[in-house]
Amino acid sequence: MFFICGINQGQKELSHSQLVVCAGCGGYGRYQVFMTYMCLSLFFIPVLKWGRKYYVKMSCCGAVYELNPKTGGRIAGGEKVDITERDLTLIQAGNRRQWQPGRADQTNRGMRRVCQNCGYETEEDFSFCPKCGGRL
């Protein structure tokens, strides 16, 4: 007789809806809450989960925050909880620009983009640096 078992990392998006003004980019966004965990599976059936961590990703700029475990556990349990800034710890800053190309009500005057590779500055909406070819 033999057993097929394994340990893997899982991720689950939690149901939570809260609109906020992002502290990082200043835009309107929504908290996207998800949980990561380690899981022991026996015959491909999850048997034991441990190491739960909760994260929040901003829909506006993509910033990622670690969520307080107590608040995350309450959300995972199905409670309606308002997330405050005290519950969040910044892990990765977002990358949203203050203006968006193609919108008639916005302008790109004064918005400078700087290449991380060579330091070239431009006001144009390039995806890649015209000097070195690096991603802006």
Side-chain angles (χ1 to χ4, degrees):
M1 177 186 264
F2 66 93
F3 291 100
I4 299 175
C5 64
I7 296 175
N8 60 351
Q9 184 174 4
Q11 179 176 325
K12 178 181 178 183
E13 186 168 348
L14 302 177
S15 176
H16 183 77
S17 180
Q18 183 178 343
L19 294 174
V20 293
V21 175
C22 181
C25 71
Y28 287 104
R30 183 178 66 85
Y31 287 146
Q32 298 169 330
V33 182
F34 60 97
M35 172 181 68
T36 61
Y37 55 88
M38 295 300 292
C39 182
L40 172 68
S41 298
L42 184 62
F43 293 108
F44 306 105
I45 299 172
V47 176
L48 179 66
K49 292 181 183 178
W50 73 92
R52 289 179 174 96
K53 290 188 178 182
Y54 301 94
Y55 297 95
V56 170
K57 184 174 182 180
M58 294 299 300
S59 63
C60 55
C61 64
V64 178
Y65 297 89
E66 185 169 0
L67 181 61
N68 179 323
K70 289 181 182 179
T71 305
R74 290 174 60 199
I75 292 171
E79 287 185 47
K80 298 290 183 190
V81 179
D82 284 337
I83 298 172
T84 63
E85 288 190 28
R86 292 188 317 264
D87 296 325
L88 302 174
T89 305
L90 182 65
I91 292 179
Q92 181 180 2
N95 59 2
R96 180 177 179 205
R97 296 180 302 225
Q98 295 297 321
W99 63 277
Q100 296 176 359
R103 290 191 52 189
D105 60 335
Q106 294 181 337
T107 178
N108 65 350
R109 283 194 324 248
M111 183 68 187
R112 300 192 69 77
R113 300 181 77 193
V114 179
C115 177
Q116 298 294 326
N117 292 336
C118 67
Y120 181 78
E121 293 184 18
T122 182
E123 287 188 13
E124 298 293 329
D125 184 32
F126 295 130
S127 295
F128 296 93
C129 176
K131 185 173 181 184
C132 72
R135 187 166 192 80
L136 291 176

